[in-house]
Amino acid sequence: DAKTTQPNSMESNEEEPVHLPCNHSTISGTDYIHWYRQLPSQGPEYVIHGLTSNVNNRMASLAIAEDRKSSTLILHRATLRDAAVYYCILSGNTGTASKLTFGTGTRLQVTL
Amino acid sequence: DAGVIQSPRHEVTEMGQEVTLRCKPISGHDYLFWYRQTMMRGLELLIYFNNNVPIDDSGMPEDRFSAKMPNASFSTLKIQPSEPRDSAVYFCASSPLPLGKAEQYFGPGTRLTVT
């Protein structure tokens, strides 16, 4: 499985944008890029996913590099409720495409 | 919809006992997943089902672990006999489509403690 690399932790001030980076230099042409987050004492929660084009939804934006070797999750205005571990995950669009392989993620701390 | 439902939320048992974790996926979701999360190993996929059929159980740690899905609305993960190293949070997730086409919805988890 293609691997992802994320910083262990990041800090942000409330109400400011947050850019969470992810490197995936071994990504294949059919791999989707998924982001999930896990709040304390909860199960992981889907945030966003994409293949090649940038994606926006009500929670966040996903910016994908042109060569697809990296991507950035953008939280436009961080709140205290966004403090969580954010996972960047690759999935193949093949017969085993239903698997998610979680890495260690980035722990986001949001302060007042 | 109530989301993915797991029971019990907490389970404390003694080493050697049988443990059964239960999961009810979201109605209409054809894919069901069992994950285990520990501090040391993070979040690991144990097994997943498609239309009640186990597709990939390569993550099941050993023969003490077994999972079944007798129908579309119910799955169990059983550990027999349990050991202290099985202590973890076990998550069940479901999805309507193969990954890449839809997200996975996770349940609240079952925190298992084996003493």
Side-chain angles (χ1 to χ4, degrees):
Chain A
D1 293 335
K3 293 193 67 173
T4 62
T5 303
Q6 300 177 253
N8 288 332
S9 63
M10 292 184 65
E11 288 188 18
S12 173
N13 295 322
E14 196 177 24
E15 302 292 318
E16 291 186 357
V18 181
H19 291 234
L20 298 166
C22 181
N23 287 320
H24 29 79
S25 59
T26 60
I27 191 171
S28 72
T30 57
D31 284 340
Y32 280 81
I33 302 160
H34 299 256
W35 284 83
Y36 281 72
R37 71 179 185 181
Q38 188 172 19
L39 280 65
S41 301
Q42 294 188 27
E45 174 189 30
Y46 169 82
V47 177
I48 200 166
H49 78 284
L51 184 61
T52 56
S53 302
N54 294 344
V55 184
N56 299 295
N57 66 21
R58 64 176 179 81
M59 288 182 68
S61 296
L62 176 60
I64 301 173
E66 194 169 335
D67 63 5
R68 299 206 332 122
K69 295 183 184 300
S70 66
S71 61
T72 302
L73 178 70
I74 302 166
L75 306 179
H76 296 287
R77 289 180 65 198
T79 69
L80 295 178
R81 287 174 293 181
D82 291 322
V85 178
Y86 287 78
Y87 297 98
C88 170
I89 306 154
L90 302 183
S91 69
N93 191 22
T94 65
T96 59
S98 290
K99 291 178 66 171
L100 283 177
T101 303
F102 285 76
T104 56
T106 297
R107 182 174 298 277
L108 175 65
Q109 187 174 358
V110 181
T111 56
L112 293 171
Chain B
D1 201 315
V4 175
I5 299 172
Q6 292 186 247
S7 65
R9 293 294 310 277
H10 301 272
E11 177 80 37
V12 180
T13 190
E14 292 184 349
M15 183 175 63
Q17 297 298 306
E18 178 180 294
V19 176
T20 300
L21 311 181
R22 298 172 175 79
C23 175
K24 176 178 169 54
I26 294 174
S27 177
H29 284 192
D30 292 333
Y31 292 81
L32 183 138
F33 310 81
W34 282 100
Y35 291 86
R36 178 174 68 174
Q37 186 171 38
T38 61
M39 289 293 293
M40 291 296 294
R41 301 175 66 89
L43 197 63
E44 305 172 280
L45 176 67
L46 300 178
I47 185 172
Y48 80 90
F49 295 82
N50 179 22
N51 291 324
N52 312 336
V53 177
I55 302 300
D56 187 343
D57 65 353
S58 59
M60 296 286 263
E62 46 197 279
D63 292 344
R64 298 184 297 106
F65 285 70
S66 62
K68 294 181 179 179
M69 193 165 185
N71 57 62
S73 59
F74 183 64
S75 176
T76 59
L77 178 67
K78 185 177 295 185
I79 308 172
Q80 168 62 17
S82 58
E83 296 182 2
R85 59 189 170 132
D86 301 330
S87 297
V89 181
Y90 291 82
F91 291 103
C92 176
S94 71
S95 179
L97 293 169
L99 193 62
K101 301 183 185 301
E103 59 264 35
Q104 290 188 9
Y105 296 82
F106 283 77
T110 295
R111 181 174 296 276
L112 173 65
T113 302
V114 183
T115 61

